[in-house]
């Protein structure tokens, strides 16, 4: 699948078949994440791959609501054969090199979110190109997820995604027109 086609046809998938995803395929999508660009090539991301049903159940409980309804991705975390959790090591992305490291911009340490998002988007597009579904899940209790997965000190949880074969074909969600979001020469 061509990149532009993958970008335009990817959808957030919240219903999955029980069909297993083989390790080789999981490795291909992780490899796509690995090749994402990052601040000074700092590669602050780490990924945890979960296939264990109990752990997936606990992760589903760590997903939080963004409205008065439960988070729409909760059941997907429980149901999908695989869940990939993106973690990051703050204190690298966004910092000067070499030591002593200092934040370079007014965004402080938060460039780790940017780098990890780039890696996760590579992963979701690669997954889609292989016929797999994903959905970025950001509304989660990061501390709870870190505890469930034994994430060590110095690292934090950014987001997660279920990974599996789609059992739905969600409609396209509209996007703002370029004319509303793009400015030339001046904002
Ligand atoms: C940073 C981020 C966090 C998100 N968190 C959630 C979430 O917690 N639960 C959920 O169901 N979808 C979540 N989504 C998916 C968005 O709702 C979805 O991408 C958007 O509605 C556009 O739909 P599409 O991905 O099918 O194009 C998240 C997406 C992003 C980029």
């Amino acid at each position: 699948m061509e990149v532009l086609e993958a970008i335009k046809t990817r959808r957030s998938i919240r219903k999955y078949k029980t069909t297993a995803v083989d390790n080789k395929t999981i490795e291909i999508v992780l490899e796509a994440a690995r090749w994402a660009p990052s601040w000074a090539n700092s590669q602050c991301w780490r990924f945890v791959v979960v296939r264990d049903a109990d752990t997936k159940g606990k992760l589903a409980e760590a997903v939080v609501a963004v409205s008065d309804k439960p988070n729409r991705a909760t059941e997907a975390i429980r149901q999908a054969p695989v869940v990939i959790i993106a973690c990051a090591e703050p204190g690298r992305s966004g910092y000067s090199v070499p030591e002593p490291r200092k934040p370079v911009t007014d965004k402080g340490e938060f460039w780790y979110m940017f780098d990890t998002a780039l890696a996760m988007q590579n992963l979701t597009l690669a997954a889609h190109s292989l016929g797999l579904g994903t959905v970025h899940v950001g509304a989660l209790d990061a501390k709870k997820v870190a505890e469930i997965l034994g994430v060590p000190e110095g690292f934090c949880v950014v987001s997660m995604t279920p990974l599996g074969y789609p059992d739905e074909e969600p409609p396209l969600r509209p996007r703002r027109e370029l004319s509303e979001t793009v400015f030339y020469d001046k904002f």
Side-chain angles (χ1 to χ4, degrees):
M1 196 185 281
E2 282 193 28
V3 175
L4 276 179
E5 188 193 348
I7 289 169
K8 284 202 166 180
T9 58
R10 182 211 53 82
R11 301 276 173 275
S12 289
I13 301 297
R14 300 181 178 88
K15 232 177 142 216
Y16 291 87
K17 295 184 174 146
T18 51
T19 318
V21 181
D22 62 60
N23 289 344
K24 183 127 188 53
T25 306
I26 297 173
E27 218 167 273
I28 295 171
V29 303
L30 291 167
E31 185 68 6
R34 185 168 85 93
W35 283 99
S38 61
W39 181 287
N41 204 21
S42 49
Q43 305 166 67
C44 67
W45 50 66
R46 302 289 185 277
F47 303 99
V48 183
V49 179
V50 171
R51 282 163 295 193
D52 175 67
D54 274 358
T55 311
K56 283 189 284 167
K58 286 181 193 157
L59 291 173
E61 282 168 21
V63 173
V64 299
V66 288
S67 67
D68 52 358
K69 296 194 190 102
N71 190 308
R72 291 174 61 214
T74 309
E75 280 317 301
I77 295 292
R78 219 184 298 275
Q79 185 196 32
V82 182
V83 178
I84 296 178
I85 301 88
C87 304
E89 184 182 19
R92 297 192 171 275
S93 183
Y95 284 72
S96 58
V97 278
E99 306 282 347
R101 292 171 183 278
K102 282 191 299 230
V104 172
T105 73
D106 68 346
K107 306 292 177 298
E109 68 168 7
F110 288 106
W111 286 98
Y112 74 82
M113 296 291 287
F114 191 95
D115 289 0
T116 309
L118 293 174
M120 283 302 268
Q121 184 63 358
N122 270 14
L123 184 150
T124 62
L125 288 174
H128 175 54
S129 78
L130 298 170
L132 288 158
T134 56
V135 51
H136 293 288
V137 180
L140 44 77
D141 181 335
K143 290 217 168 85
K144 206 161 155 183
V145 174
E147 214 175 285
I148 295 164
L149 302 175
V151 173
E153 209 165 302
F155 291 84
C156 64
V157 169
V158 174
S159 70
M160 60 185 171
T161 179
L163 177 76
Y165 293 96
D167 197 19
E168 63 168 356
E169 272 183 43
L172 175 153
R173 296 213 66 195
R175 299 299 198 257
R176 289 192 171 134
E177 294 299 330
L178 280 187
S179 58
E180 288 178 68
T181 55
V182 180
F183 307 89
Y184 291 94
D185 298 326
K186 260 199 174 153
F187 195 119

